[in-house]
Amino acid sequence: MTVLEDRIAMADADDETERLDEWFERLERMPVPEGFRAEIVEGSLFMTPQRDIHWEIIREFLWAIEDKFGRGARVFSDVRIDFPGHENGFCPDVALLKDSAEKDDTGHWRYQDVEFVAEVISKATAQNDYGPKKTAYAVAEVPLYVVADPYQGRCSVYTHPKDGDYATRTTVDFGTDVDLTGTVVDLVLRTDSFPRD
């Protein structure tokens, strides 16, 4: 990449961040019903209600991470992180950042510091979690991505990001422990209490 191409790419990224900032500022001013989460995937706005089953599974992930890393872990739920790709302002259900993570000059967490993401699918947005979000996480080289699917009663575990995809996918049914030892979280996730929908 030439110096000129590098500067053009940086300017495009800055423009995209500004557009995402504007979108989220507008969302904050909108009368969005309480209990809805909003994120931008490939330039499209998605708003989904936070359902109790969805939240129960998210909470199980959060507890498992806190049990492993303590309450000081940089783990977030529904916090905006901009990922590679066209206008991707995601708010992952669960995101674990490196201990050394710091916000960038615009006050946002950097995708380069994300070590683990978990998404609990909703019927309306499942295609995002298995499609463009999975691709963006792989491009960002997030080492571990887990999708919990309460409709099919299973978790899909994606590891080893390479060339915009994950080289390894493992599927585990709810009720069976998800062995994440040897990954960045190095834990066993119990799913026996994961509710189904």
Side-chain angles (χ1 to χ4, degrees):
M1 183 178 277
T2 67
V3 173
L4 179 59
E5 289 172 327
D6 190 41
R7 287 184 179 161
I8 290 170
M10 287 176 55
D12 288 345
D14 289 344
D15 289 346
E16 195 165 293
T17 298
E18 288 176 18
R19 282 192 301 275
L20 286 170
D21 287 344
E22 184 179 331
W23 275 70
F24 279 99
E25 286 172 16
R26 287 182 181 193
L27 281 170
E28 288 177 10
R29 293 191 304 266
M30 287 176 57
V32 176
E34 189 172 327
F36 277 73
R37 92 187 256 254
E39 63 184 350
I40 299 166
V41 179
E42 295 186 325
S44 296
L45 172 65
F46 290 88
M47 291 178 53
T48 54
Q50 182 73 280
R51 301 182 59 231
D52 57 345
I53 289 173
H54 193 91
W55 174 241
E56 286 178 41
I57 296 172
I58 291 169
R59 194 172 57 202
E60 292 290 335
F61 276 103
L62 294 171
W63 284 341
I65 290 170
E66 284 188 349
D67 286 350
K68 176 70 180 183
F69 297 101
R71 291 190 180 233
R74 290 196 184 253
V75 61
F76 299 100
S77 179
D78 202 21
V79 172
R80 174 185 164 191
I81 302 171
D82 297 343
F83 282 89
H86 175 67
E87 295 183 356
N88 283 328
F90 300 163
C91 300
D93 289 325
V94 179
L96 176 67
L97 279 61
K98 297 174 185 174
D99 287 339
S100 61
E102 293 184 10
K103 291 184 178 181
D104 63 19
D105 294 340
T106 63
H108 300 111
W109 293 106
R110 298 168 357 107
Y111 72 83
Q112 294 92 335
D113 292 327
V114 178
E115 294 187 306
F116 163 67
V117 170
E119 297 282 9
V120 181
I121 71 159
S122 299
K123 282 186 180 178
T125 60
Q127 73 279 1
N128 289 340
D129 296 324
Y130 289 116
K133 290 176 83 173
K134 180 174 77 84
T135 299
Y137 295 144
V139 169
E141 298 185 351
V142 174
L144 176 62
Y145 174 45
V146 178
V147 178
D149 185 336
Y151 305 101
Q152 296 184 26
R154 67 179 179 220
C155 289
S156 296
V157 179
Y158 299 93
T159 58
H160 304 97
K162 184 177 181 181
D163 299 328
D165 201 359
Y166 283 95
T168 307
R169 176 186 176 206
T170 306
T171 304
V172 180
D173 291 334
F174 283 9
T176 305
D177 290 350
V178 180
D179 185 359
L180 301 174
T181 56
T183 69
V184 292
V185 294
D186 197 34
L187 59 83
V188 174
L189 177 68
R190 297 191 59 185
T191 65
D192 55 338
S193 62
F194 278 21
R196 293 182 65 136
D197 200 353

